[in-house]
Amino acid sequence: MGHIEHSAAGRAPVDFTFAYVADYRNVPKWLFGIRHYTPVGEQTSGVGAVFDTAVQLGPTTLHLRVEIVEWEDGATITLHAVKGIEGTVRWRFEAVDQDTTEIGVVVDYRVPGGLAGRALDKILRTFVEPAIRHTEKSLREQVLAAYGESLDSAPER
C-alpha cells in the first residue's frame, strides 16, 4: 500500500481556493498527468459525483473512474477510485489567515498482487511523489492567477 502526504500554503482565501479546486473543469489545468477529467452523468460536484479520467505516469496511462465520497464545502474533498487501481485522494483546505490557504493532500493506493502489480507499484512510487509536488506547485500558481484575475475584474466600490 502506498501512502503520500503533502501540504503547502497559497495566497488566496480558503473559499476561493476550494471553489477553484472543486470545479472539475479546472482539474486538467493543475493535476499532473491528467489527460481528461470527464463527469459521468449530470452531477459534477458533491458526494456521489463520478468522473472518468486518464492519468499519464511516465510510460503508463492509468484509466480510472473516481467517485467523490466526502465533501465539506470549504474544507474537504475525498475521491475514491471505483475502477482501475484501488486508491483514495483526500484534499484538505484550511485558512491560515483571510488571504492564505493551506492545501493538504493525502494519497493512499493499493496495487494488485503478482508481477504486474509489483511493476505498477514501482512506476507509481517513481512518479507519484514528484507528481504530487508538481501538482501542488501548479495548483498554487493556478489559484493565485485565477484569484488575481477575479480581483482585477471585480467592480470597484
Side-chain angles (χ1 to χ4, degrees):
M1 172 107 168
H3 176 85
I4 298 167
E5 291 185 47
H6 188 75
S7 66
R11 298 283 305 162
V14 71
D15 289 342
F16 185 91
T17 302
F18 182 88
Y20 187 87
V21 172
D23 185 340
Y24 77 94
R25 296 167 296 190
N26 292 329
V27 172
K29 296 177 188 175
W30 56 264
L31 191 55
F32 181 82
I34 293 292
R35 297 294 172 236
H36 69 86
Y37 193 75
T38 308
V40 176
E42 297 295 316
Q43 185 177 351
T44 60
S45 64
V47 172
V50 177
F51 301 87
D52 280 337
T53 187
V55 182
Q56 187 73 41
L57 294 175
T60 302
T61 300
L62 300 175
H63 296 277
L64 304 170
R65 177 166 282 180
V66 297
E67 179 179 1
I68 298 175
V69 295
E70 179 184 18
W71 180 286
E72 183 183 342
D73 280 337
T76 307
I77 300 172
T78 302
L79 303 165
H80 180 71
V82 294
K83 182 175 112 181
I85 65 168
E86 182 182 341
T88 302
V89 177
R90 183 173 196 262
W91 294 94
R92 174 188 52 78
F93 306 85
E94 187 175 320
V96 174
D97 58 40
Q98 76 179 46
D99 295 321
T100 307
T101 302
E102 181 178 28
I103 305 168
V105 63
V106 176
V107 178
D108 289 306
Y109 65 90
R110 183 183 310 271
V111 295
L115 237 53
R118 285 194 297 265
L120 179 57
D121 189 47
K122 187 173 184 176
I123 290 168
L124 288 172
R125 288 185 186 277
T126 301
F127 286 97
V128 170
E129 194 163 337
I132 292 294
R133 285 194 305 271
H134 175 82
T135 293
E136 173 270 314
K137 180 179 184 251
S138 178
L139 179 57
R140 274 190 296 124
E141 291 169 354
Q142 291 286 325
V143 168
L144 183 59
Y147 183 59
E149 288 173 15
S150 75
L151 293 176
D152 290 344
S153 65
E156 294 195 32
R157 295 180 184 186

